[in-house]
Amino acid sequence: MNIHEYQAKAILKSFGVPVPQGHVAHSPVEAKEIAKSLPGDVFVLKAQIHAGGRGAGQFVGEPASGGVRIVRSAAEAERVACEMIDRVLVTRQTGPAGRLVRRLYVEAGCAIARELYLSLLIDRESRSLVIVASPDGGMDIEDVAARTPERILRVSIDAGLGFMDYQARNLAVGLGLSGRLIQSFAALVRAACKAFVQLDAALIEINPLVVTEGGELLALDAKMGFDDNALFRHSDIEELRDENEEDPREVEASRFGLSYVGLEGSIGCMVNGAGLAMATMDIIHARGEAPANFLDVGGGATRERVTAAFRILLADPQVEGVLVNIFGGIMRCDLIAQAVIAACGDVGLGVPLVVRLAGTNVEEGQALLQASGLPVTVAQDLGDAASKIVAAVRARRTV
């Protein structure tokens, strides 16, 4: 689960990470009043959407304006907010459809001397929390890694020992910090580590982390993501979820305990088990087509969950055919077949459907599908299933 910048900054501030003063505005009038309340005479208006590259983005109909704007008065803040709120912002990460900006973060400006990069994430290989830093802040870290990989600094944090003093000094020196900034940096990273662990975060990214002309460190931007599986421990964090920023299909899937990710292909997939789902997607690609989604219904594929899965799949206008690939280990194949038949009856089926079942009671499940009267093709193995759904989709296109 991701949250907005203003929410991430509020959380990090509560753990001791220094951030500029700012507040969220839902209207141009609010933006003006917030600017009046902030110190200084330079303010920054930031579009709040779950996507990076906002500063380089463009509002639809306003090609010269980006999603991060600098203003120098409260009146200008109100005028610029009118150009941003309730407008669609397109960035590298939103795709051409863009995202509707419903709120702005109005922040006090600061005099920047340097921009750094800092992030915390889980490294699966080392099975540890890892700090990634670079003296090249304000840029996409992927671009820095591609062009100058030697400027990417990485430190693994031992779960028992935590962030050590020598690691803090090495990182700070690697970033070109000196004097009291080394201690400030160490304190900031420790605060971020504490937030990461206590809140079951999946990512904390501060880009840029700036050194001001006054010699202070500030998190000028912040991004946080959380492990969905741990949200039951953090109801206050779960309340920060903004469903407007998520794919409505993924929101609907989460309500039924389905793991769903929308993709760009034409063949809808319903599979139980993440590994089997990935294999199914791979073999569809190998047959020359592309999956429309990743959808794992899990081990307990009840009629309700299968019906919900079919409804989500068939609501996607890109879907030209559906492939169901179920291994009946915990779940019996005859029960899966009954759920598929019931779901087709409840939802309606207007595209080709190929079902491959394997495991417990597979013969009974196949017999139920063949006797159902539905326009469903039963396949014997995954390769056969992929070939049949691809052939059916291509035949449908020629009609």
Side-chain angles (χ1 to χ4, degrees):
M1 188 192 85
N2 296 318
I3 59 176
H4 289 291
E5 173 195 359
Y6 74 92
Q7 297 167 324
K9 283 183 171 175
I11 290 173
L12 292 176
K13 182 180 179 181
S14 71
F15 279 85
V17 175
V19 301
Q21 292 186 48
H23 300 283
V24 66
H26 297 84
S27 70
V29 172
E30 275 191 83
K32 178 179 72 173
E33 295 304 315
I34 291 170
K36 286 182 179 178
S37 71
L38 294 175
D41 53 8
V42 176
F43 316 102
V44 183
L45 274 59
K46 298 183 177 182
Q48 295 298 286
I49 59 173
H50 289 181
R54 293 170 296 166
Q58 295 181 343
F59 283 96
V60 174
E62 294 284 343
S65 65
V68 178
R69 309 278 292 278
I70 297 174
V71 300
R72 289 175 169 77
S73 70
E76 188 182 4
E78 181 179 26
R79 178 181 62 77
V80 171
C82 287
E83 300 173 358
M84 300 174 72
I85 293 179
D86 293 329
R87 303 290 293 273
V88 175
L89 178 64
V90 179
T91 78
R92 293 190 303 270
Q93 295 186 10
T94 64
R99 294 276 180 84
L100 180 66
V101 176
R102 295 177 169 84
R103 68 204 84 183
L104 304 176
Y105 189 51
V106 185
E107 190 172 68
C110 67
I112 300 171
R114 289 188 59 203
E115 294 186 349
L116 311 172
Y117 176 90
L118 176 69
S119 67
L120 293 81
L121 65 157
I122 297 295
D123 178 40
R124 303 297 176 185
E125 290 187 9
S126 64
R127 303 177 188 177
S128 65
L129 171 59
V130 171
I131 298 171
V132 179
S134 174
D136 299 321
M139 300 172 58
D140 286 336
I141 197 65
E142 295 85 358
D143 294 339
V144 177
R147 292 198 301 266
T148 54
E150 70 278 2
R151 294 178 69 80
I152 302 293
L153 311 176
R154 292 170 58 93
V155 171
S156 295
I157 307 301
D158 184 281
L161 299 175
F163 186 51
M164 304 295 287
D165 289 344
Y166 80 91
Q167 293 176 315
R169 288 192 295 272
N170 288 345
L171 265 181
V173 170
L175 294 174
L177 302 177
S178 60
R180 65 184 182 87
L181 278 175
I182 293 177
Q183 294 302 317
S184 298
F185 177 78
L188 185 151
V189 177
R190 285 194 183 93
C193 287
K194 185 177 180 181
F196 191 101
V197 173
Q198 287 192 6
L199 300 178
D200 291 300
L203 170 73
I204 294 178
E205 183 179 62
I206 300 174
N207 186 28
L209 170 65
V210 301
V211 180
T212 69
E213 291 184 355
E216 303 294 332
L217 286 173
L218 282 178
L220 205 61
D221 195 1
K223 179 188 296 183
M224 290 189 74
F226 300 89
D227 184 348
D228 293 351
N229 296 310
L231 287 176
F232 71 94
R233 289 198 289 257
H234 307 286
S235 57
D236 54 334
I237 298 296
E238 191 169 18
E239 289 174 359
L240 302 179
R241 183 177 187 178
D242 185 355
E243 292 186 353
N244 291 317
E245 293 294 318
E246 300 179 28
D247 187 323
R249 299 168 298 178
E250 295 179 14
V251 173
E252 176 72 6
S254 68
R255 295 193 179 109
F256 291 90
L258 303 168
S259 298
Y260 178 93
V261 179
L263 301 172
E264 302 299 323
S266 58
I267 297 178
C269 303
M270 188 178 79
V271 190
N272 66 329
L276 189 59
M278 296 299 290
T280 303
M281 295 164 64
D282 285 346
I283 202 165
I284 289 172
H285 274 293
R287 295 294 190 273
E289 291 290 335
N293 62 274
F294 170 97
L295 175 55
D296 176 8
V297 297
T302 63
R303 169 174 172 165
E304 181 185 35
R305 296 180 77 181
V306 172
T307 301
F310 264 88
R311 183 169 59 246
I312 294 165
L313 289 178
L314 297 177
D316 185 347
Q318 295 182 144
V319 170
E320 300 177 58
V322 175
L323 172 57
V324 176
N325 183 22
I326 300 290
F327 178 79
I330 298 173
M331 284 295 295
R332 291 162 29 199
C333 290
D334 56 332
L335 296 182
I336 292 292
Q338 291 171 10
V340 169
I341 293 167
C344 289
D346 293 345
V347 176
L349 184 65
V351 297
L353 170 64
V354 174
V355 178
R356 179 257 182 172
L357 300 174
T360 308
N361 289 0
V362 62
E363 293 83 4
E364 291 89 336
Q366 291 174 341
L368 285 169
L369 289 169
Q370 290 167 340
S372 67
L374 292 171
V376 55
T377 300
V378 177
Q380 299 304 313
D381 57 53
L382 180 52
D384 180 42
S387 296
K388 285 178 176 176
I389 191 61
V390 167
V393 165
R394 290 175 176 171
R396 187 169 180 263
R397 291 173 185 161
T398 60
V399 174

